[in-house]
Amino acid sequence: MLDWRECPAVERQADKVSGAWVFRGTRVPVRALFENLESGASVDDFLAWFPGVGRDLVAAVLTHTERSLDDGAAA
């Protein structure tokens, strides 16, 4: 299971975007990245559409997700 608490690129506050995980310092839900990628958008598209999100934050989220997949395969 993916534990977002271990990813420094995201944060969650009960009073911010209904408690959803968002990119740190923004109101952009992490879910928006994956929804856009699944719909065929590129990372560059996402960054253009959500200018408050930095490439470093997206890279950290994708790396965190990849690590969780690797951890799951080892179990």
Side-chain angles (χ1 to χ4, degrees):
M1 177 101 181
L2 192 59
D3 187 354
W4 288 110
R5 295 174 297 178
E6 297 176 5
C7 182
V10 302
E11 62 187 358
R12 178 168 70 174
Q13 298 172 10
D15 62 341
K16 191 175 186 180
V17 192
S18 300
W21 286 101
V22 298
F23 287 93
R24 185 166 301 284
T26 77
R27 297 183 61 80
V28 179
V30 172
R31 176 178 47 227
L33 171 64
F34 295 103
E35 288 172 350
N36 280 281
L37 292 176
E38 288 173 0
S39 295
S42 68
V43 169
D44 287 331
D45 291 333
F46 180 81
L47 293 170
W49 297 332
F50 299 95
V53 178
R55 185 174 296 275
D56 59 328
L57 296 177
V58 170
V61 163
L62 293 175
T63 298
H64 179 73
T65 304
E66 182 179 23
R67 282 190 195 129
S68 75
L69 294 172
D70 290 343
D71 291 346

